[in-house]
Every structure is written in C-alpha cells, then in structure tokens.
Amino acid sequence: MSSSSSSSSLPPPPPTSPLIIPPPTLTCTFIAHVDHGKTTLCDHLLSFYHSSLSPTSVGEARVMDNTDEEVRRGITIKAGFMCVETDEWIEGEDGGRCRIGVMDSPGHVDFQSEVSDSLHLSSLGLLLIDASEGVLCRTVGVLRILSSRPLSVMVNKMDRIDKDEWDEKVRRIVENV
C-alpha cells in the first residue's frame, strides 16, 4: 500500500461552491409585541430588494411564516431568516455592497426562547412598536431579553393614529422604552 492511499492521509479540500454564501455584514433581529409588524416589515424588505414578492402582496404573503402551523394560526412560531444585499444602508467591504441578515422573531410569549436565540445570533435588535398601542407587556419582555445588545427602535403603524397625536405618542413611547 502506498503512502498516498493510507488511511491517515487527509481528504482533498472541498471545491469552492457558488452555493456557499458569505456571511452577512450585519445581522438584525426584529422583535416586538404580537402584531406590531415584524413579519410585514420582512415582506416589505423582500418586496423592495427582491422581485420575489410583489408590493401588492406585502402583509398578506407572510413569507417568513412557512410552517403549516404558522400559516394556519397567522402567527410566527419559529424565527425565520433572510438576507438582503444592498449598497444603500452601510458600505460593505466589497465595493459598497452590504449583506443584511434579518431574523423575524415570534411576538407571542410562548415562543420567547426563539426570540432569545435569535438575539444571541444577531448584531443588534430592531424593536418595533405599534404607534396606536405603544409599549405593551411583551415589549418590556423583549427589552429584558436584549440586555446588552445594541438596539434600534422603530415606531410602526403611524397611519393608525391622527397626525395631531404623532408627537405625543412617539414621546410617550420613547419615555417608556
């Protein structure tokens, strides 16, 4: 037996594959109370950055909810992940392109471990707050999970309140966060 065919020799390195996707430049988990718009925001991102989703189906498509149970109940149960590539948000290392990884986390308290696990895999959390409902108990719960993670806050569903109330509602939300 020659030394090149011995059992101790290492296998050749795997060939490079176009299926291997470089990691995202930034990974963000969308967190919020139930029905504050996490999955719909994911639909909007897919519609804007990919032609895979028409703008008219945003909010109805619920692309990130792909298990039968999620579709049946109309809620996110398992965290979902997608990646968008853009040159509009931050400059990446490869000629200005940036890969943003986005995780859609469940809003229901029964699936808190999914939220926690998603946040541990993320660079930051994006907390969505429904302008008409404000900070609710689940909002406080996800803030506790965040602990030392960087956080951005987005006030969502501004169309549900009168324009005259915007300043007061947003001020109250910021104070509560």
Side-chain angles (χ1 to χ4, degrees), residues 31-34 36 38 106-109 112 115-116 119 126-130 133-148 151 153 172-177:
I31 54 175
H33 190 83
V34 179
H36 278 207
K38 300 172 299 295
H108 197 279
V109 69
Q112 182 168 324
V115 178
S116 180
L119 286 168
L126 176 64
L127 176 64
L128 281 80
I129 300 174
D130 183 321
E133 294 185 356
V135 175
L136 299 174
C137 60
R138 189 71 193 118
T139 314
V140 174
V142 294
L143 279 169
R144 286 189 185 129
I145 295 171
L146 265 169
S147 62
S148 63
L151 167 71
V153 177
R172 206 171 318 140
I173 287 169
V174 169
E175 286 174 359
N176 288 326
V177 169

Side-chain angles (χ1 to χ4, degrees), residues 119-170:
L119 286 168
H120 288 319
L121 296 171
S122 296
S123 309
L124 67 103
L126 176 64
L127 176 64
L128 281 80
I129 300 174
D130 183 321
S132 64
E133 294 185 356
V135 175
L136 299 174
C137 60
R138 189 71 193 118
T139 314
V140 174
V142 294
L143 279 169
R144 286 189 185 129
I145 295 171
L146 265 169
S147 62
S148 63
R149 287 269 183 232
L151 167 71
S152 291
V153 177
M154 180 178 136
V155 180
N156 199 17
K157 303 186 181 186
M158 294 292 286
D159 59 323
R160 293 190 175 186
I161 59 173
D162 291 331
K163 201 172 187 179
D164 300 340
E165 297 178 298
W166 284 9
D167 289 342
E168 178 60 24
K169 288 276 189 176
V170 171

Side-chain angles (χ1 to χ4, degrees), residues 1-23:
M1 186 180 257
S2 72
S3 62
S4 64
S5 63
S6 73
S7 61
S8 64
S9 66
L10 296 173
T16 57
S17 167
L19 298 177
I20 298 174
I21 301 169

Side-chain angles (χ1 to χ4, degrees), residues 13-154:
T16 57
S17 167
L19 298 177
I20 298 174
I21 301 169
T25 307
L26 173 73
T27 305
C28 175
T29 296
F30 293 171
I31 54 175
H33 190 83
V34 179
D35 292 331
H36 278 207
K38 300 172 299 295
T39 304
T40 301
L41 181 57
C42 288
D43 282 357
H44 276 286
L45 287 172
L46 281 175
S47 172
F48 188 78
Y49 289 105
H50 298 285
S51 59
S52 61
L53 184 64
S54 77
T56 57
S57 61
V58 166
E60 302 293 322
R62 300 184 61 89
V63 172
M64 301 298 280
D65 291 346
N66 51 28
T67 68
D68 291 341
E69 188 68 8
E70 287 175 318
V71 172
R72 185 181 71 73
R73 293 172 64 180
I75 61 170
T76 302
I77 296 172
K78 291 286 186 186
F81 180 83
M82 69 176 184
C83 198
V84 295
E85 192 167 338
T86 179
D87 55 6
E88 297 177 33
W89 291 356
I90 58 175
E91 288 193 21
E93 297 172 10
D94 54 351
R97 301 294 290 170
C98 177
R99 285 173 303 283
I100 310 285
V102 176
M103 287 195 240
D104 177 26
S105 69
H108 197 279
V109 69
D110 289 348
F111 312 113
Q112 182 168 324
S113 64
E114 288 287 320
V115 178
S116 180
D117 291 348
S118 297
L119 286 168
H120 288 319
L121 296 171
S122 296
S123 309
L124 67 103
L126 176 64
L127 176 64
L128 281 80
I129 300 174
D130 183 321
S132 64
E133 294 185 356
V135 175
L136 299 174
C137 60
R138 189 71 193 118
T139 314
V140 174
V142 294
L143 279 169
R144 286 189 185 129
I145 295 171
L146 265 169
S147 62
S148 63
R149 287 269 183 232
L151 167 71
S152 291
V153 177
M154 180 178 136

